[in-house]
Amino acid sequence: MTPSAYLDAHSADMLALLRRLVRLATVNPPGCDYDAITSLLVRELTARGLRARRFPIPKALAKKYLPPEQLAFPRYNVLGTWRVPGATRTIHFNAHYDVVPVGGEWRHGNPFSGALDGGWIYGRGTADMKGSIASLLLALEALRATRTRPRLNIEVSFTADEETDSVLGAGWLVQHAPIHPDFAIVMEGGERGTVCCGHNGVVWLEVTVHGRAAHGSRPERGINALEKMAALVRALDDYRRMLARRTLVTPSGATMHPTINVGGVFAQGPGAKINTVPALARFTIDRRVLAIETVATAERELHAFLAAAARRIPQCRITVEKISDNHPCFTKPGGCRRSFLP
Ligand SMILES: [Zn+2]
């Protein structure tokens, strides 16, 4: 039997495994069920003949990078290796196992049930990216079961925290795990059969607008932070227009622009009440960074824009804090050596 015939014959197994993975609600933040899913993934890799290890993130390191309310949720990364006799190079497959929290209405019951409807699985993380994990595990199984020897050593990592900042997930792996890849494939979900050569970076900022509290019956005595924030958010339209003029054409011919998303999180200050002038308003900015930019220049540019916009708004005082960033990357499509392709 060929590996591809094996895949066809066992697609039901893959779907069953995918539904098992979806039922583990690895929601991040805060980082639920990481223990359960990484234990399962180590077992699945071992069952396919890989040497598999689970690396718990040391408490001291977690303390350094996680907010205090997440310290009760330990982080783990999983590494599997398959040394192939005679192979001199190594390919690394990476997937993250965490998923974003669920928002809004879910039309298919519990988002972690893995419900089937009309031939589709509906569940948080099915595409991003537990589907990739299940596919990879079946692919490894197909190679073993059909005694197909890969031309490259294989490394597999399943990492935490991609939906936040990856520092204790893929970031930890690159810095601390015994990996030696010559090639790497990030099996990020949602791209169907497309192979992408890179990804955007991000800069996440939190903008706080400082006003002055007053009684709601005498609003002229206060400085309304919400109104100042609204003016600042409107001013960001100019920045958005500027970004729309900046383009990157991908190897597949798609034109991309940097983007900003405003107010994924927004909040008022403490003690807010209907009859008070809000003294504080806060919102986040999610700036996506193209591979032709850098995180540092994008951050500087956005800071400068916000400062200039705030200066133009009377009595608008702001402070800006960085929540996190992540670098963009790009590899030329011709960078892969042909001799290692099937
Ligand atoms: Zn993802």
Side-chain angles (χ1 to χ4, degrees), residues 239-256:
Y239 183 67
R240 202 176 270 117
R241 275 191 283 276
M242 187 184 94
L243 294 184
R245 290 194 293 270
R246 203 172 291 168
T247 55
L248 165 71
V249 179
T250 68
S252 58
T255 302
M256 296 178 68

Side-chain angles (χ1 to χ4, degrees), residues 95-96 98-99 127-130 162-163 186-190:
H96 67 86
D98 57 324
V99 302
D128 182 10
M129 59 189 296
K130 290 173 175 174
E162 194 272 349
E163 302 295 1
V186 175
M187 304 181 72
E188 187 52 61

Side-chain angles (χ1 to χ4, degrees), residues 59-293:
K59 279 215 171 86
L61 203 60
K63 245 183 167 164
K64 194 169 160 195
Y65 291 105
L66 292 178
E69 66 274 16
Q70 286 181 33
L71 290 175
F73 300 87
R75 267 58 184 165
Y76 305 92
N77 296 306
V78 170
L79 177 65
T81 48
W82 179 353
R83 298 272 164 244
V84 179
T88 55
R89 304 241 184 167
T90 299
I91 186 163
H92 189 111
F93 295 94
N94 169 263
H96 67 86
Y97 59 75
D98 57 324
V99 302
V100 288
V102 177
E105 290 278 305
W106 195 270
R107 274 174 289 155
H108 295 269
N110 176 350
F112 299 101
S113 71
L116 285 174
D117 188 355
W120 292 84
I121 298 177
Y122 288 85
R124 171 60 94 216
T126 304
D128 182 10
M129 59 189 296
K130 290 173 175 174
S132 302
I133 296 175
S135 312
L136 177 59
L137 288 170
L138 185 66
L140 293 168
E141 187 182 309
L143 293 174
R144 286 286 184 193
T146 60
R147 298 180 183 283
T148 306
R149 182 187 280 196
R151 292 195 206 173
L152 302 162
N153 297 310
I154 294 175
E155 289 177 352
V156 175
S157 61
F158 300 127
T159 46
D161 287 1
E162 194 272 349
E163 302 295 1
T164 44
D165 59 9
S166 299
V167 170
L168 300 178
W172 180 90
L173 189 93
V174 167
Q175 301 228 322
H176 302 286
I179 60 170
H180 310 282
D182 297 284
F183 311 100
I185 295 180
V186 175
M187 304 181 72
E188 187 52 61
E191 296 295 336
R192 300 192 172 215
T194 318
V195 176
C196 298
C197 301
H199 65 74
N200 288 342
V202 298
V203 176
W204 285 354
L205 300 181
E206 184 180 67
V207 183
T208 303
V209 182
H210 304 272
R212 190 170 66 227
H215 195 271
S217 62
R218 307 294 298 272
E220 71 282 359
R221 291 191 175 177
I223 298 172
N224 189 313
L226 176 66
E227 290 177 4
K228 303 299 172 194
M229 179 172 91
L232 191 62
V233 167
R234 275 199 304 273
L236 280 167
D237 281 344
D238 286 341
Y239 183 67
R240 202 176 270 117
R241 275 191 283 276
M242 187 184 94
L243 294 184
R245 290 194 293 270
R246 203 172 291 168
T247 55
L248 165 71
V249 179
T250 68
S252 58
T255 302
M256 296 178 68
H257 309 281
T259 57
I260 51 165
N261 176 52
V262 172
V265 178
F266 56 94
Q268 61 201 11
K273 222 164 151 273
I274 194 164
N275 61 345
T276 58
V277 173
L280 187 144
R282 188 171 273 153
F283 68 101
T284 55
I285 301 179
D286 174 351
R287 162 76 153 89
R288 299 293 158 136
V289 182
L290 290 187
I292 51 171
E293 307 177 292

Side-chain angles (χ1 to χ4, degrees), residues 258-334:
T259 57
I260 51 165
N261 176 52
V262 172
V265 178
F266 56 94
Q268 61 201 11
K273 222 164 151 273
I274 194 164
N275 61 345
T276 58
V277 173
L280 187 144
R282 188 171 273 153
F283 68 101
T284 55
I285 301 179
D286 174 351
R287 162 76 153 89
R288 299 293 158 136
V289 182
L290 290 187
I292 51 171
E293 307 177 292
T294 67
V295 158
T297 53
E299 190 188 337
R300 259 201 311 275
E301 179 189 89
L302 190 46
H303 269 277
F305 186 92
L306 286 164
R311 274 196 299 274
R312 285 194 300 272
I313 302 166
Q315 295 185 299
C316 180
R317 190 168 72 79
I318 62 168
T319 48
V320 180
E321 248 185 85
K322 182 159 79 176
I323 299 173
S324 73
D325 62 25
N326 225 321
H327 297 283
C329 74
F330 184 77
T331 304
K332 283 188 181 154

